[in-house]
Structure formats: structure tokens, C-alpha cells
Amino acid sequence: WLTRIVLGDGVDLAGTVRDSAGRPVAATITADAIEGATNADGSFVLRGLRIGRVPVSAYAPGCLLASTVVNTSETARFD
């Protein structure tokens, strides 16, 4: 029998922002109205995104805005 379904409050999106030479970039990341910033190594994690197609943008002073759309998904655990 299915006794419980556990779903999170959204999904996490993790990634790294780098310039065209492969160097990490300090940037502001926005996805689905959630905003964050990269770490010193260019990495980031945004938490609580909705399921589905989510627009993601990265902005750094002096650089062009980079954007894409990602498909997020969620895992359900059945106990």
C-alpha cells in the first residue's frame, strides 16, 4: 500500500557561471523570481524553484546578460 508521499517545497538548481575563458564570474542569478549570487568559484544554488520550465538569468557588471530556460523536475519518495 501507498502510505505516504513526500514532496519537497520546490526544487534546487545548482550551477556555475564562467566567462568565455572558463574563469569563474561573480554574478547575480535569477530564476523564477528567486535571486542569489555566485560563490568565489562561480558556483550557485537556488532553492525552492517551481517544477517545469524556468527562465534563468545571470548578470555581472561589465558583462552581457546570459539567460536560458531549464526544465526542473522533482523526485517523489513512496514509503
Side-chain angles (χ1 to χ4, degrees), residues 56-67:
V56 180
S57 298
Y59 172 76
C63 296
L64 293 174
L65 176 71
S67 62

Side-chain angles (χ1 to χ4, degrees), residues 14-15 18 24 27 30-31 58 63 66 74:
R18 298 187 182 278
T30 304
C63 296
E74 182 174 54

Side-chain angles (χ1 to χ4, degrees), residues 2 4 6-7 15 17 20 22 30 35 42 58 61 67-68 77 79:
L2 176 65
R4 183 173 65 168
V6 179
L7 300 176
V17 178
S20 59
T30 304
E35 189 172 283
S67 62
T68 190
R77 188 179 80 208
D79 292 358

Side-chain angles (χ1 to χ4, degrees), residues 7-65:
L7 300 176
D9 292 333
V11 296
D12 296 347
L13 175 66
T16 304
V17 178
R18 298 187 182 278
D19 65 14
S20 59
R23 295 178 297 246
V25 173
T28 300
I29 308 298
T30 304
D32 202 27
I34 296 173
E35 189 172 283
T38 60
N39 296 315
D41 64 355
S43 66
F44 68 91
V45 177
L46 296 178
R47 301 191 186 285
L49 299 176
R50 66 183 166 85
I51 305 301
R53 293 176 52 84
V54 176
V56 180
S57 298
Y59 172 76
C63 296
L64 293 174
L65 176 71

